[in-house]
Amino acid sequence: MADEVNLFDEFKEHSISEFFRKNKHMLGYSGKLRSMTTIIHELVTNSMDACEEAEILPDINVTIERLGNEYYRLIVEDNGSGIPPKYVPKVFGKMLAGSKLHRQIQSRGQQGIGAAGVLLFSQMTTGKPLKITTSTGDGIIHEMEIQMSISKNEGDVVSHKTREGMYRGTKVDGEFKDVTYSRREQGPFEYLRRISLSTPHSKITLKDPEEEVLFDRTVYQVPEKPEEMKPHPHGITTDEMLHIARETESSRLSSMLSSELSRVTTKRVKELELYILRDKLLEQYRDSFFWDTVIECYLNADFKYYFDKFGKYLDKKEIEEVNNLILGLPEGLSELKQYYLKYIITDYLFGKLDEEEIKEIRNQFKKKPENFVEYVSKQYLNASQMDDFRKKIRYITKRPESFVNSLVEFSMVSDEELEKYKKGIKKLLKSDPKKIDWKEAELLVSVLQDMDFMAPSTIGLRPIGDENILKSLETLEPSFLKTLTRKPKTYKGGIPFAVEVGIAYGGNSGRLGESGRKMEIMRNSNHVPLLFDTTGCGLTNAVKSVNWRRYGLRSDEDAPITIFVNLISTHIPYTSAGKQAISTGTEDNEEIFNEIRQALMICGRDLNNYISRIRKAKEEEQKRKYVMKYAMVFAEGLSSITQKPKDEIEENIIYLLR
């Protein structure tokens, strides 16, 4: 007991600031160059957000001054709306304080830790506060020094002076140690160059220890602000449903669903009653003697048919897994859909390929559904066919009314039982949202995700736009340029996103290496460049998954080509708090991965046509030069055969070759 008491003597509570002080690498402060770039990133994106919120074209000045060995002073100044003085300690001194985390809207940052992280890092390396100069344009300029109380996770005002003057905007002035500056690919210079391309309406002036550089705007119009969106029913979790229920002002669960979620109308709530009835009837017959009959009434997919047809090509454990998923329905329906996708594609291949071809790929049929689909989509299917197959799996279950009618026909449920269930469901939907429990919330989420809803509204997304990306990439002076903004889609069932890509070839495109220009991948999320964690990022993997040799490049790496990718979403699936890599691939957020591939392949076709024309013209020119070289010899020989003047024949040959 003494040991236990001593153990809990050491038990302490820690603030979020204390956590990040000991884990600063999670905020991007790992390595001297990366730390410098992270500081610039956090301050510049805050400045851009401030300007765009106020519908002002951003003019941002960045000054990097070397004070000593690995010791720098950084100043970032903008012409934004300014910060009211009472909010300055919260913006720069309090972790997880901000205006974005609680809103479903596209934004560069959401956690509310960026600016506070800059102050924390400055304080940890120099012990000095940040100097903030700000004004909202009301004639009073506030000069403040802010430190962070780490134990309290609060900003403390060290000093606060005011003076009169006409100024609007914010200037952040801080000193930092354990950082370094260079113009390498992952440094602040490259970051500012790239963010000027992804935000073409901004003007950024960099004054570094070497010189002053202007990244001028190429677009002179402030983009429209994205609008806040309601959560989509396909993207909501049980925990989020309970949170909405606790916070709503609606007095009934039915009205809460239609007022707090997008695409849910009063009519759809009535339809929801049938889905709940379906799931309650499924629950009633689970583990019963009649379960196989119930499943026949519930599923449109006949898995036994597929097992009988090509079961010998499948792994026995897979068949067992599918049967277990069927036993546990409706839970596990999303996993069952992936197996169904595999089987309908397999059925298609068995009808298309001969026996020898089937034998050649027999090992592919034993793969997990996601790996099998990835292989087949590359080897045998085009994008249109894949879309058709994915549409089919949406209808793996029968409509609720059809399911209920089937049970009635089989005399498995009486009219009295149905009426009893319906009354209970109506009572649930009329109940106070604040009183629903986890099981009821889980039931609601399950049926909502099984219903068909229109895709989420895209009012919360604001792409850069084809024309603006085109203007940005024209600064590379390429010989070929193609951009594409794809229509918004959803991932994880209901989170909206859109993909924008651009391909610049020739000129100053690509990154300059010792052996010439090589492929350059510019990754962006919500218009912000991602410079680090390249190999672990799904955007990089999506670009490299494209076979670029098919599009005219003789090498995937040694080519003067810049590939620009921008992912926009209300929620970017970063791999860590450092926000430098995105989680997407064939097994995670596959929708994003596929959209990037499709967009790049569409642009790649135009690139292939361009390169083919250039190569054909070069080949013709080489042939022409070769023939011209021997024109005189050819004319002399032809003259002796035809007995015509040599000069006349030579003149005609030259005329034909022009």
Side-chain angles (χ1 to χ4, degrees):
M1 285 297 295
D3 288 341
E4 291 181 15
V5 172
N6 291 337
L7 174 65
F8 281 94
D9 283 345
E10 300 298 318
F11 188 84
K12 293 181 180 179
E13 293 183 11
H14 302 282
S15 72
I16 188 69
S17 303
E18 287 177 297
F19 173 81
F20 282 119
R21 182 174 67 84
K22 292 187 177 182
N23 297 278
K24 64 182 187 295
H25 63 280
M26 295 181 67
L27 300 179
Y29 297 102
S30 58
K32 297 177 175 59
L33 184 62
R34 179 168 183 165
S35 295
M36 174 71 88
T37 305
T38 298
I39 296 165
I40 296 296
H41 156 72
E42 298 294 358
L43 296 180
V44 168
T45 51
N46 276 4
S47 291
M48 286 185 171
D49 283 342
C51 292
E52 290 173 7
E53 283 286 334
E55 299 182 338
I56 299 166
L57 284 170
D59 284 347
I60 300 171
N61 297 310
V62 179
T63 303
I64 301 175
E65 181 183 342
R66 190 172 186 273
L67 301 179
N69 184 36
E70 298 179 354
Y71 183 18
Y72 288 82
R73 179 188 182 195
L74 270 64
I75 302 172
V76 177
E77 183 175 9
D78 63 59
N79 63 327
S81 56
I83 306 171
K86 69 176 182 178
Y87 289 107
V88 172
K90 295 179 180 179
V91 170
F92 292 96
K94 190 177 183 69
M95 295 279 186
L96 301 181
S99 60
K100 302 169 188 173
L101 181 63
H102 60 282
R103 296 190 295 167
Q104 188 164 8
I105 191 170
Q106 174 190 325
S107 63
R108 293 184 176 88
Q110 289 187 325
Q111 294 99 330
I113 56 180
V118 172
L119 172 55
L120 179 64
F121 187 70
S122 172
Q123 199 166 302
M124 286 173 61
T125 57
T126 68
K128 295 183 178 182
L130 283 184
K131 298 175 183 177
I132 313 296
T133 303
T134 187
S135 176
T136 57
D138 58 0
I140 301 175
I141 301 172
H142 299 267
E143 297 176 343
M144 307 173 71
E145 290 187 330
I146 306 297
Q147 277 192 327
M148 179 185 290
S149 173
I150 294 176
S151 61
K152 297 178 181 178
N153 185 34
E154 291 180 356
D156 293 331
V157 179
V158 177
S159 68
H160 185 178
K161 299 177 183 177
T162 60
R163 56 184 171 87
E164 294 182 356
M166 294 310 298
Y167 172 74
R168 188 200 63 217
T170 300
K171 180 171 77 171
V172 181
D173 185 343
E175 295 181 15
F176 305 86
K177 289 185 177 180
D178 298 331
V179 293
T180 190
Y181 177 79
S182 77
R183 291 195 172 184
R184 281 168 44 198
E185 186 178 355
Q186 295 180 321
F189 179 89
E190 181 64 17
Y191 175 83
L192 294 175
R193 182 180 81 89
R194 291 195 184 189
I195 201 170
S196 70
L197 293 174
S198 61
T199 53
H201 59 285
S202 62
K203 175 183 174 183
I204 304 172
T205 304
L206 168 65
K207 185 177 180 181
D208 67 6
E210 297 179 30
E211 61 178 331
E212 185 171 308
V213 181
L214 172 65
F215 301 101
D216 208 352
R217 62 173 57 93
T218 55
V219 173
Y220 293 84
Q221 185 176 359
V222 182
E224 292 182 17
K225 290 192 292 185
E227 299 177 29
E228 188 173 353
M229 297 161 49
K230 295 177 182 178
H232 190 273
H234 282 175
I236 202 165
T237 65
T238 303
D239 180 65
E240 289 167 335
M241 177 67 79
L242 283 170
H243 176 74
I244 292 170
R246 302 293 178 262
E247 299 293 322
T248 187
E249 295 180 2
S250 300
S251 58
R252 290 188 174 191
L253 188 57
S254 57
S255 57
M256 180 203 82
L257 294 173
S258 56
S259 63
E260 303 289 350
L261 302 180
S262 69
R263 307 305 193 193
V264 180
T265 61
T266 304
K267 182 179 178 181
R268 299 313 302 275
V269 172
K270 292 293 292 182
E271 188 180 342
L272 176 73
E273 294 180 20
L274 282 171
Y275 279 85
I276 296 175
L277 175 61
R278 180 202 65 185
D279 282 14
K280 284 188 173 293
L281 288 171
L282 278 171
E283 190 62 37
Q284 175 181 326
Y285 285 102
R286 190 183 309 283
D287 300 327
S288 74
F289 177 78
F290 302 102
W291 183 248
D292 288 344
T293 305
V294 172
I295 288 301
E296 284 182 23
C297 297
Y298 176 65
L299 286 179
N300 276 323
D302 185 354
F303 285 92
K304 189 175 184 302
Y305 161 80
Y306 296 119
F307 294 155
D308 290 342
K309 186 170 183 179
F310 39 75
K312 67 179 181 179
Y313 292 92
L314 303 176
D315 192 306
K316 290 182 180 179
K317 289 183 178 179
E318 178 178 314
I319 296 175
E320 185 181 345
E321 168 69 14
V322 172
N323 286 327
N324 286 334
L325 287 171
I326 292 172
L327 285 174
L329 286 171
E331 289 184 17
L333 182 61
S334 59
E335 293 176 69
L336 196 62
K337 285 180 179 179
Q338 297 311 306
Y339 282 110
Y340 184 45
L341 177 62
K342 176 181 177 179
Y343 299 154
I344 58 177
I345 292 175
T346 300
D347 205 16
Y348 167 79
L349 292 177
F350 268 63
K352 179 182 179 182
L353 307 178
D354 58 36
E355 287 188 25
E356 286 301 315
E357 290 173 309
I358 291 291
K359 285 180 181 178
E360 285 179 14
I361 63 169
R362 65 177 300 134
N363 290 334
Q364 300 297 330
F365 296 110
K366 294 185 182 294
K367 288 185 174 181
K368 292 181 178 179
E370 56 269 21
N371 297 333
F372 171 80
V373 171
E374 180 189 8
Y375 170 79
V376 171
S377 62
K378 288 181 180 178
Q379 299 295 326
Y380 300 102
L381 304 175
N382 57 38
S384 176
Q385 287 173 312
M386 278 305 303
D387 283 342
D388 288 341
F389 282 126
R390 291 185 189 281
K391 285 176 184 175
K392 286 182 180 179
I393 68 171
R394 291 168 55 188
Y395 305 105
I396 188 174
T397 60
K398 294 179 181 177
R399 300 287 297 176
E401 55 269 34
S402 175
F403 169 68
V404 173
N405 290 338
S406 296
L407 292 183
V408 171
E409 288 175 13
F410 280 106
S411 301
M412 298 184 69
V413 60
S414 66
D415 291 339
E416 291 78 10
E417 286 178 302
L418 281 180
E419 194 59 34
K420 182 180 177 182
Y421 275 122
K422 289 177 181 178
K423 284 182 179 179
I425 293 166
K426 288 182 181 295
K427 183 179 179 181
L428 170 64
L429 293 175
K430 288 180 180 179
S431 64
D432 184 351
K434 293 180 173 57
K435 294 181 179 179
I436 66 169
D437 58 25
W438 179 274
K439 189 174 181 180
E440 291 167 332
E442 196 170 38
L443 173 63
L444 287 171
V445 169
S446 174
V447 295
L448 283 170
Q449 292 182 349
D450 199 25
M451 292 173 67
D452 286 330
F453 289 99
M454 289 177 62
S457 167
T458 57
I459 59 173
L461 301 180
R462 284 296 178 268
I464 303 170
D466 288 354
E467 187 179 339
N468 292 340
I469 297 174
L470 202 70
K471 290 177 180 177
S472 287
L473 295 181
E474 279 175 349
T475 60
L476 302 177
E477 300 177 352
S479 55
F480 169 86
L481 183 55
K482 174 72 175 179
T483 61
L484 177 65
T485 299
R486 296 278 284 178
K487 290 182 179 179
K489 291 196 174 182
T490 62
Y491 77 98
K492 287 194 183 299
I495 302 174
F497 76 95
V499 165
E500 300 182 283
V501 301
I503 295 179
Y505 178 83
N508 296 321
S509 304
R511 54 186 173 85
L512 189 59
E514 294 180 0
S515 58
R517 292 195 173 270
K518 297 180 179 293
M519 176 183 283
E520 175 184 44
I521 302 174
M522 290 189 174
R523 300 172 296 131
N524 299 269
S525 64
N526 284 344
H527 309 189
V528 177
L530 309 176
L531 299 187
F532 298 92
D533 303 340
T534 304
T535 55
C537 181
L539 302 191
T540 304
N541 297 335
V543 173
K544 292 194 172 183
S545 71
V546 175
N547 183 1
W548 290 102
R549 293 172 188 267
R550 290 178 58 185
Y551 301 104
L553 301 185
R554 287 178 175 154
S555 169
D556 286 0
E557 288 292 334
D558 299 323
I561 185 171
T562 293
I563 297 176
F564 179 97
V565 179
N566 182 42
L567 170 66
I568 60 173
S569 178
T570 56
H571 177 77
I572 300 288
Y574 293 113
T575 58
S576 68
K579 298 185 294 184
Q580 287 295 313
I582 292 171
S583 175
T584 176
T586 55
E587 297 184 19
D588 190 22
N589 305 323
E590 183 184 4
E591 300 90 342
I592 298 174
F593 185 85
N594 289 335
E595 272 296 286
I596 295 170
R597 278 178 49 83
Q598 291 299 323
L600 289 173
M601 287 190 286
I602 290 169
C603 292
R605 288 197 285 270
D606 284 359
L607 173 65
N608 185 40
N609 292 337
Y610 169 78
I611 293 176
S612 296
R613 286 197 304 270
I614 297 298
R615 285 179 181 159
K616 187 176 180 181
K618 284 183 178 179
E619 288 170 1
E620 289 177 354
E621 181 63 24
Q622 286 175 345
K623 289 177 183 177
R624 188 179 290 110
K625 287 179 179 178
Y626 181 80
V627 174
M628 288 289 289
K629 182 179 179 181
Y630 295 100
M632 292 178 65
V633 178
F634 180 68
E636 187 175 343
L638 196 59
S639 174
S640 65
I641 295 170
T642 62
Q643 301 299 313
K644 290 186 178 181
K646 174 189 170 186
D647 292 344
E648 182 182 336
I649 293 174
E650 189 175 326
E651 185 178 333
N652 287 334
I653 291 172
I654 293 171
Y655 176 78
L656 288 171
L657 293 173
R658 283 176 180 168

